[in-house]
Amino acid sequence: MAKMLEAPLLSVLMTVVAVAMIDCEGRVLVQRRPAGKAMAGLWEFPGGKIEAGETPEAALVRELHEELGIGVETGDLVPAVFASEPLGARHLLLLLYVCRRWSGTPRALDAEELLWCQPGALHRLEMPPADRPLIRLLESVL
């Protein structure tokens, strides 16, 4: 009889949502994490934590309004890829969506700055470990 491998127990699974906003020129929006926050200075896809009772899409609509001051309809969020990354005592599950339509102009309300860049240029940016593997996957779906 084969012996089953025991998987390590997770203390906390933290699920977060993020979006690759794509403009009419095919560029992706990223934001720089502000000073005083974990991983300050790194570039990331906009998004955040899912609150109790929220769907991933509802959380992303809320986060984009809070972080960028824009409106997004849940129907305009297309699931793209995900990443799974250990993060200290927690484990991060990052769900990345693609969005090509929103209302308003994105502003850095909760970030140092915003940057629109071609998907391939994301490889040159310093990004959190969970975001890095998403770049190549994102390139394949765009």
Side-chain angles (χ1 to χ4, degrees):
M1 184 179 272
K3 187 175 183 179
M4 291 183 57
L5 297 176
E6 289 190 30
L9 295 175
L10 288 178
S11 56
V12 176
L13 179 64
M14 183 172 66
T15 306
V16 297
V17 288
V19 67
M21 293 176 55
I22 312 297
D23 71 3
C24 61
E25 296 175 34
R27 299 176 305 173
V28 179
L29 181 71
V30 289
Q31 61 185 11
R32 189 186 299 260
R33 292 185 63 80
K37 285 197 173 183
M39 297 186 237
L42 299 183
W43 292 95
E44 67 180 357
F45 299 106
K49 295 176 186 160
I50 300 172
E51 293 181 358
E54 281 185 318
T55 64
E57 296 81 7
L60 198 46
V61 167
R62 176 185 49 76
E63 287 284 348
L64 293 174
H65 178 71
E66 292 172 2
E67 291 183 1
L68 302 174
I70 61 170
V72 175
E73 298 293 326
T74 58
D76 292 326
L77 297 169
V78 179
V81 297
F82 74 92
S84 178
E85 183 77 27
L87 190 62
R90 300 176 293 178
H91 193 90
L92 177 71
L93 181 61
L94 173 59
L95 309 174
L96 184 69
Y97 289 74
V98 170
C99 182
R100 296 177 184 271
R101 189 169 43 192
W102 57 88
S103 60
T105 301
R107 297 168 299 174
L109 301 177
D110 192 38
E112 277 187 25
E113 63 182 303
L114 303 178
L115 175 67
W116 288 99
C117 62
Q118 294 298 324
L122 295 171
H123 292 286
R124 295 189 293 274
L125 298 177
E126 290 187 52
M127 298 182 85
D131 289 41
R132 296 219 52 85
L134 299 175
I135 299 169
R136 190 168 314 283
L137 295 169
L138 182 60
E139 287 177 307
S140 70
V141 298
L142 293 181

